[in-house]
Every structure is written in structure tokens, then in C-alpha cells.
């Protein structure tokens, strides 16, 4: 019975694999539907709101203090966010599980490096990147187990003294603060699968912080976002610094 349950969840035709395929197909469609690079960043915000987010994330990642280092955007889509974050960085790599936005990114930003892969099995060596960001991705992952695996994998490739930011996390302890009209709108079956709230993963910020400390983080912070109040009441960023001698 336990093996049957396992196959139903993680097998080739299991719930998690079906979830992944649906997400991948819809991100592919998103790339086609919104040729403007900002269109594949998720919520397609207005320019002033997006710039506010760029400034906030840049400050939290301490990009100004990174004179010459390697940066990874995990869940990069077409690389638009990272290009705005670090326009002068020498080594920027984006990785995503969906092929189409990566093709778009290579055309838009030939100076960047792109790779296709899974966030739980990244094709990079240990301690390879000085800064890592994964922004507005984790709530699309299918389970808490995958969230924790992804967190450990990102920390594995973070260099000693480096900084990891997992941004736009949906907090399960603050879920009740989502405005009622938003909950109703996002619950509609008429919305795309990836934009239905019942298909999102809400995480325990406390458990995320505990995991990062167990992995060897020197410091971990949960930070508020600068965006409008109806969003930042339940969406948070976590930043973790890796010990210099790991």
C-alpha cells in the first residue's frame, strides 16, 4: 500500500509530476502570450512597482558590495529580473525548468548564461555562486518536501561568505491575511492552473529559517517586502549568509 501511495504521488503519472507538467505548459504559454520581457516575471507589474522591487531585492542581496562575483537566478524565466538587478555584473547565470523563456532570454541577453534544470538537482558544483536569488518561485513548487530539497540545493552551491535570497515566499502563518476578494478571485477554476491559490504551496517561515541554520547559515533573516499592503502582509523574503569557513 505504501508503495502504491508513493507512486501515486511521485511516480511518472503521479500528482507531483502532473503538477510540474501543468506548470511547465503554462509558463510556455506565458512566454508566448507576453513578448514583453516583464511579462514572464509572473504578476506583470507596472514599471514603477517593478523598479521598487528591483531596488528592494538589490539592497537585500547586497549586490553593491559584490565587485566581482558569480550570481545565479534560480527560476530565472528569461533573465529579465536579474538583468535589471545586476546590469554590470560579469558573471550572471539563469536557470529554469521551462525551455521557452530561456530561449527568449538568450536572444535578449546574449551576455548572460542560461541553463535548463530542476531546482532540486542543479547542474552546478558545490560553492559555485557568491549570490543566489530565487524570487517568486517557491509557491509554485508542489510540496513542502520539494521546497526543503530546493532550499538545501541552493545552499549547497552557495559559496562560503555568500548570500542567498529566497524571495516572495507565501507564509502559511499569514495566509488568513489575504484579502477575501483576492482569495475568491484566485480560487476560481477559470484561472490558469498556476494562478489558482489551491495549487500554491504556503510555507512555514520558522521551519525555513531552522533548515537554513541546520545547513550552516551564519545568519538568517525574514524581511518584509516594499510592495503594496494587500500583498506584503503574507509575502516575505528570507536572506541567509553562509559561513565563511563552511
Amino acid at each position: 500500500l505504501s508503495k502504491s501511495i508513493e507512486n501515486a504521488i511521485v511516480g511518472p503519472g503521479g500528482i507531483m509530476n502532473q503538477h510540474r507538467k501543468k506548470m511547465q505548459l503554462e509558463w510556455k504559454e506565458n512566454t508566448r502570450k507576453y513578448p514583453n520581457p516583464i511579462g514572464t516575471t509572473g504578476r506583470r507589474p507596472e514599471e514603477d512597482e517593478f523598479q521598487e522591487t528591483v531596488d528592494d531585492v538589490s539592497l537585500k542581496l547586497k549586490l553593491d558590495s559584490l565587485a566581482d562575483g558569480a550570481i545565479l537566478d534560480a527560476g530565472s524565466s528569461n533573465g529579465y529580473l536579474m538583468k535589471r538587478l545586476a546590469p554590470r555584473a560579469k558573471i550572471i547565470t539563469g536557470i529554469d525548468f521551462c525551455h521557452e523563456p530561456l530561449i527568449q532570454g538568450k536572444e535578449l541577453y546574449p551576455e548572460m548564461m542560461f541553463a535548463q534544470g530542476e531546482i532540486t538537482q542543479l547542474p552546478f558544483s558545490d560553492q559555485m555562486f557568491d549570490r543566489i536569488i530565487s524570487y517568486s518561485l517557491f509557491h509554485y513548487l508542489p510540496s513542502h518536501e520539494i521546497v526543503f530539497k530546493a532550499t538545501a540545493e541552493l545552499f549547497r552551491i552557495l559559496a562560503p561568505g555568500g548570500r542567498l535570497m529566497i524571495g516572495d515566499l507565501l507564509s502559511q502563518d499569514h495566509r488568513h491575511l489575504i484579502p477575501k476578494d483576492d482569495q475568491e478571485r484566485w480560487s476560481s477554476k477559470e484561472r490558469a492552473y498556476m494562478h489558482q491559490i489551491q495549487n500554491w504551496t504556503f510555507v512555514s517561515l520558522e521551519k525555513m529559517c531552522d533548515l537554513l541554520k541546520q545547513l550552516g547559515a551564519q545568519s538568517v533573516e525574514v524581511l518584509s517586502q516594499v510592495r503594496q499592503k494587500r500583498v506584503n502582509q503574507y509575502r516575505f523574503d528570507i536572506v541567509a549568509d553562509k559561513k565563511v569557513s563552511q
Side-chain angles (χ1 to χ4, degrees), residues 80-115:
Y80 184 69
L81 173 61
M82 183 50 69
K83 192 59 184 174
R84 289 282 293 268
L85 280 169
R88 295 175 298 278
K90 292 182 179 179
I91 305 174
I92 307 177
T93 303
I95 188 164
D96 203 278
F97 81 136
C98 189
H99 182 66
E100 283 70 16
L102 297 174
I103 295 299
Q104 187 186 70
K106 290 176 181 178
E107 294 173 354
L108 290 168
Y109 315 115
E111 70 279 13
M112 288 180 62
M113 293 179 286
F114 290 94

Side-chain angles (χ1 to χ4, degrees), residues 10-197:
V10 300
I15 295 170
M16 289 189 183
N17 199 41
Q18 291 177 27
H19 174 89
R20 180 188 180 282
K21 287 182 177 179
K22 288 178 181 178
M23 289 287 184
Q24 199 168 42
L25 284 172
E26 291 189 355
W27 279 116
K28 177 181 178 179
E29 174 61 18
N30 211 46
T31 304
R32 184 201 64 78
K33 189 176 180 180
Y34 301 102
N36 183 330
I38 203 172
T40 58
T41 61
R43 280 190 294 279
R44 298 178 294 282
E46 297 297 330
E47 170 58 31
D48 58 344
E49 181 190 351
F50 190 69
Q51 185 58 52
E52 193 176 45
T53 298
V54 168
D55 294 341
D56 182 52
V57 172
S58 179
L59 183 66
K60 289 171 179 173
L61 268 177
K62 296 184 177 180
L63 291 179
D64 287 346
S65 65
L66 187 66
D68 187 18
I71 305 172
L72 174 70
D73 185 354
S76 65
S77 186
N78 61 14
Y80 184 69
L81 173 61
M82 183 50 69
K83 192 59 184 174
R84 289 282 293 268
L85 280 169
R88 295 175 298 278
K90 292 182 179 179
I91 305 174
I92 307 177
T93 303
I95 188 164
D96 203 278
F97 81 136
C98 189
H99 182 66
E100 283 70 16
L102 297 174
I103 295 299
Q104 187 186 70
K106 290 176 181 178
E107 294 173 354
L108 290 168
Y109 315 115
E111 70 279 13
M112 288 180 62
M113 293 179 286
F114 290 94
Q116 185 173 7
E118 299 293 334
I119 196 168
T120 54
Q121 291 181 304
L122 295 168
F124 304 118
S125 303
D126 293 354
Q127 304 180 356
M128 187 171 175
F129 295 96
D130 301 286
R131 296 287 188 277
I132 299 175
I133 181 171
S134 185
Y135 197 84
S136 201
L137 165 68
F138 272 46
H139 61 285
Y140 293 124
L141 300 178
S143 69
H144 291 103
E145 180 185 7
I146 299 299
V147 164
F148 296 147
K149 284 184 178 180
T151 301
E153 184 69 349
L154 292 175
F155 202 80
R156 174 185 69 80
I157 61 173
L158 183 66
R163 171 163 280 213
L164 164 66
M165 176 178 177
I166 302 175
D168 207 30
L169 285 166
L170 274 58
S171 168
Q172 66 182 27
D173 293 325
H174 298 80
R175 184 170 181 167
H176 65 283
L177 297 176
I178 300 175
K180 185 177 179 181
D181 57 333
D182 283 349
Q183 292 196 46
E184 293 176 353
R185 179 163 50 90
W186 293 335
S187 298
S188 172
K189 293 292 186 179
E190 296 180 1
R191 295 177 65 83
Y193 178 87
M194 68 180 181
H195 294 315
Q196 293 177 28
I197 193 171

